[in-house]
Amino acid sequence: MRAGRSQSFQSEPPISTAVSNIAGHGSSRAAQYGYCFEKRVTVLSSKNSGYETLAKAFDPSKNAFGFLRFALAALVVFSHCYPLGGFGPDPLALFTAERLSLGLFAVALFFVLSGFLITRSALRTPMGRFLWHRFLRIFPGYWVCLVVCAFILAPIIYQIEYAHGYRIFTAPHDSPQAYLAGNFAMLHLNEWSIGGVMKVCPLSIGATLHSNPYPFIFNGSIWTLPFELVCYLGVAALTLLGIIKRARRVLLFVFVLGCSLYAFNWLAPVVFQEFFPFRYLDPLLMLSLYFLGGALCFLYREEIPFSPALLLLSALLLAGGLMAGWFGVIAPLALPYLFLWLACKLPLQRFDARGDYSYGLYMYAFPIQQTLVFFHLQAAGFWTYFFCALLLSTLFGILSFRLIEAPCLRFKNADPRALIAKFRAKRQPVHLAAPPVESTSH
């Protein structure tokens, strides 16, 4: 879900959520010039080619990325309501024999959006500033979400379930402090282990939620954030190596190789697991493939036709693949184009004018849904449960953006050297001038 999430900035979704990276005060003119140059090249290329391209259709200041981010986060909430509320698999999971759910489908689209906008950001922003922006966009809101889950929601639920809520802090393996420490750095070993070896990431908090249909797991949405962070670091490394700027065919080759591996996994999952027994390799391959698909759409934006006919062809291929059981093979090729076409054309350009709440909505939805199930709200019916979960999650998303994310993003253009100098100046002792010595002679 990072990734890519800002008020009027156009960047990743949290999951994923992205922020347009404009460098500090000293480089703002360069960023502005880069934007003008990009638009000028786009117009010239489109005129010379004789057809409309993705480069011409994409306007960084007028698009529907904000609306689509929110819609995808809401789709994740909708999908999670089925297993968390005890309603069984969601409709897409039933149709694909649980190979793909609506929630995973939405996360994949988050990564397409992230790949497109993060690649653009990396090419227009100094690398240090790029990494600083990514940090500000992901970690502050994520850390506060961990604290809210571990030190507010979990102790309340523990008090109701077991009484003596303070005892949750003495739990041997999954105390709130262990949950915070195990998930704090995001890149925990558990995601890369074999069959649960070296499990260091606690998913439960004090054995709470044991009577829920989906027991113990407090926040099952944040599993996507490490993958998003890996993709960001991969873009940074490829940019530093000059591959994104000067060797985009290498990325095209990697994409073809990734599509082959993913098709192998989709068509013969048992054999694939025998060759690659690593935990989470399946979602890593899938999400990085969609991220790379979005990145390639940006890198080849001046060669990709922007055509309703191609949109229709993509939709037909996806529908046919879904009916024939080949959706996992077709989707990485057709879905990025369809999604980016909608992002450029949907007339919902001002949806996130007051702020991008999708990141907070995505992070807080799962624990809120689990808490509502703990209080048996799902017994009122699926739609009551869904709309209450969506409303409360949106409220938490607004609070997260207003109180945490937006204030942190104000530092996106800060000069670290100036901040350090200012901090040192405040710490230096003030030397008061000695009073003049009066003469005692008459």
Side-chain angles (χ1 to χ4, degrees), residues 269-413:
V270 176
V271 180
F272 183 86
Q273 288 298 323
E274 292 178 357
F275 279 94
F276 307 101
F278 300 97
R279 292 188 74 237
Y280 285 96
L281 181 61
D282 184 6
L284 174 64
L285 176 61
M286 173 187 173
L287 297 179
S288 59
L289 188 61
Y290 281 102
F291 185 94
L292 185 55
L296 286 171
C297 284
F298 179 78
L299 294 176
Y300 285 91
R301 64 196 182 281
E302 295 177 10
E303 289 87 2
I304 297 176
F306 194 79
S307 164
L310 283 179
L311 174 71
L312 179 60
L313 177 62
S314 299
L316 291 175
L317 286 173
L318 289 170
L322 187 62
M323 299 297 295
W326 285 60
F327 187 82
V329 180
I330 302 297
L333 301 172
L335 200 55
Y337 182 86
L338 185 148
F339 181 69
L340 292 172
W341 198 99
L342 294 175
C344 293
K345 281 297 185 181
L346 286 178
L348 297 161
Q349 302 165 354
R350 299 286 299 169
F351 183 84
D352 59 345
R354 293 184 176 274
D356 179 11
Y357 309 131
S358 60
Y359 186 42
L361 166 60
Y362 177 81
M363 286 193 300
Y364 285 98
F366 199 100
I368 288 174
Q369 289 173 280
Q370 285 285 64
T371 303
L372 292 179
V373 171
F374 175 76
F375 288 105
H376 307 292
L377 185 66
Q378 82 283 5
F382 176 86
W383 291 106
T384 300
Y385 172 50
F386 165 66
F387 283 116
C388 288
L390 181 61
L391 181 62
L392 287 174
S393 302
T394 302
L395 176 61
F396 271 73
I398 293 172
L399 293 175
S400 176
F401 182 82
R402 296 291 183 186
L403 301 179
I404 307 299
E405 300 165 44
C408 289
L409 288 173
R410 292 171 189 161
F411 294 96
K412 70 184 189 301
N413 294 327

Side-chain angles (χ1 to χ4, degrees), residues 20-36:
S20 291
N21 292 287
I22 299 175
H25 179 72
S27 58
S28 60
R29 288 190 177 181
Q32 193 174 18
Y33 174 78
Y35 168 75
C36 296

Side-chain angles (χ1 to χ4, degrees), residues 224-256:
T224 64
L225 299 182
F227 297 103
E228 189 170 3
L229 182 59
V230 166
C231 290
Y232 293 172
L233 296 177
V235 168
L238 292 172
T239 303
L240 289 174
L241 292 173
I243 294 177
I244 287 183
K245 284 186 178 181
R246 296 184 290 273
R248 59 182 184 173
R249 291 183 180 178
V250 173
L251 298 181
L252 190 58
F253 171 78
V254 173
F255 180 74
V256 172

Side-chain angles (χ1 to χ4, degrees), residues 167-178 205-207:
R167 291 182 179 175
I168 191 175
F169 297 99
T170 62
H173 303 295
D174 59 352
S175 64
Q177 55 270 29
I205 308 177

